[in-house]
Amino acid sequence: MTTTLITGANKGLGHETARRLIAAGHTVYLGARSIERGAAAAAELGARLVQLDVTDDASVAAAVATIEADGNLDVLVNNAGIEVRSPEGDIIGAAELTADVMREVFETNVFGLVRVTHAFLPLLERSAAPVVVNVSSGTASLALAGKGYPGVAYPASKTAVNMLTVQFAKAFPLMRINAVEPGYTATDLNRHEGTQTVEQGAEIIVRMAQLGPDGPTGGYFGAAGPLAW
């Protein structure tokens, strides 16, 4: 039985990923900041709830203890992420960007990912086929940075996620560690402005979460294949 933890899984891409992996036979721990919302989602899906705030050391440590008490961890999906906009709901471009905005976005999208990954490494190393999926974004690509989305903090945070993915993959060659780009998916993160459904967006996350030991590692993938860094 494959045991999987998905952060930020009470809604959106995380919720759909949990649904699909449970259908594929995984035992899924649904990570959620809110116990109330997480419990409702876990009950709906048949997942196991674990309270998990990726920005809080104590919360992450408690989640590790909970999952370790039940056994090991085979798959970690670092899905939790935020985008910060102006009070009017506008994307914050370079002219309006402040250090506080960068700090808030990085605290969840980058430092949170590192906090969770570091904390769960001992459990992942016990698995016969450990997998880490880092949910990135097409906006993270430096090769495509001149096009489209005008924001700064969110794409910069996801570019950092891509670098973390590469470095963790080098450091842990027995793990399959990859970054994925779900596509422009309608979720709360983008005020449901995305053009894809969560079913479409979750496809690449689910696929990479089910990699075997001979699968790729240290890569950056969309639904159609590898992406330019």
Side-chain angles (χ1 to χ4, degrees), residues 215-228:
T217 192
Y220 175 36
F221 297 93
L227 298 173

Side-chain angles (χ1 to χ4, degrees), residues 22-23 26 66 89 113 118 145 147 153 161 174 180 190 195-196 204 212:
I22 289 168
H26 288 221
T66 296
L113 182 148
H118 176 77
K147 304 177 183 179
V161 166
L174 297 182
V180 299
N190 57 38
T195 55
Q196 291 188 151
I204 185 60

Side-chain angles (χ1 to χ4, degrees), residues 27-52:
T27 296
V28 171
Y29 282 89
L30 187 150
R33 285 183 299 175
S34 165
I35 292 178
E36 181 179 350
R37 290 193 295 269
E44 173 196 348
L45 295 172
R48 300 182 182 182
L49 171 65
V50 60
Q51 195 281 330
L52 180 56

Side-chain angles (χ1 to χ4, degrees), residues 5-15 30-33 52 54 77-81:
L5 167 65
I6 305 170
T7 66
N10 62 284
K11 61 182 180 179
L13 286 168
H15 184 275
L30 187 150
R33 285 183 299 175
L52 180 56
V54 303
V77 179
N78 284 309
N79 168 73

